[in-house]
């Protein structure tokens, strides 16, 4: 039996890697992190998120930081865009 080697253009490999990274980032978010992300995407402040979810402001800040780190998105607009792309808004 002979092995078949496949060669892909760098752009294709980059796309595949990016898609895998996006998938893993989405699946790594906890349910609470998704809730915080959705509220952030709606423009709520950490204080408003804390009140809505009945958590401390510090916990809301921690979830926000965790989401940004896991998704590697630094801006509120980027987080909103991601939530929209996932169909969460």
């Amino acid at each position: 039996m002979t092995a078949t080697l496949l060669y892909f253009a760098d752009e294709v490999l980059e796309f595949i890697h990016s898609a895998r990274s996006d998938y893993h980032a989405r699946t790594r978010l906890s349910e609470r992190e998704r809730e915080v992300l959705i509220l952030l995407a709606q423009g709520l402040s950490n204080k408003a998120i804390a009140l809505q979810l009945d958590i401390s402001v510090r916990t809301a800040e921690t979830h926000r930081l965790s989401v940004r780190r896991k998704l590697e998105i630094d801006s509120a607009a980027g987080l909103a865009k991601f939530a929209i792309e996932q169909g969460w808004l």
Side-chain angles (χ1 to χ4, degrees), residues 15-71:
F15 174 78
I16 292 169
H17 176 71
S18 174
R20 282 186 186 156
S21 294
D22 287 347
Y23 172 78
H24 290 301
R26 288 191 307 272
T27 58
R28 283 194 328 234
L29 291 181
S30 70
E31 184 62 33
R32 180 62 89 184
E33 288 169 339
R34 277 191 291 268
E35 291 173 336
V36 169
L37 172 58
I38 290 166
L39 295 173
L40 285 169
Q42 293 173 352
L44 274 67
S45 67
N46 288 332
K47 184 175 180 179
I49 291 169
L51 287 171
Q52 185 158 339
L53 298 178
D54 196 29
I55 59 177
S56 73
V57 174
R58 181 68 185 131
T59 299
E61 292 169 354
T62 300
H63 285 310
R64 180 183 198 145
L65 179 63
S66 179
V67 167
R68 292 175 71 167
R69 181 181 46 80
K70 286 180 179 182
L71 298 179

Side-chain angles (χ1 to χ4, degrees), residues 3-17:
T4 303
L5 297 176
L6 298 175
Y7 295 95
F8 295 100
D10 288 339
E11 294 83 11
V12 173
L13 293 174
E14 187 175 316
F15 174 78
I16 292 169
H17 176 71

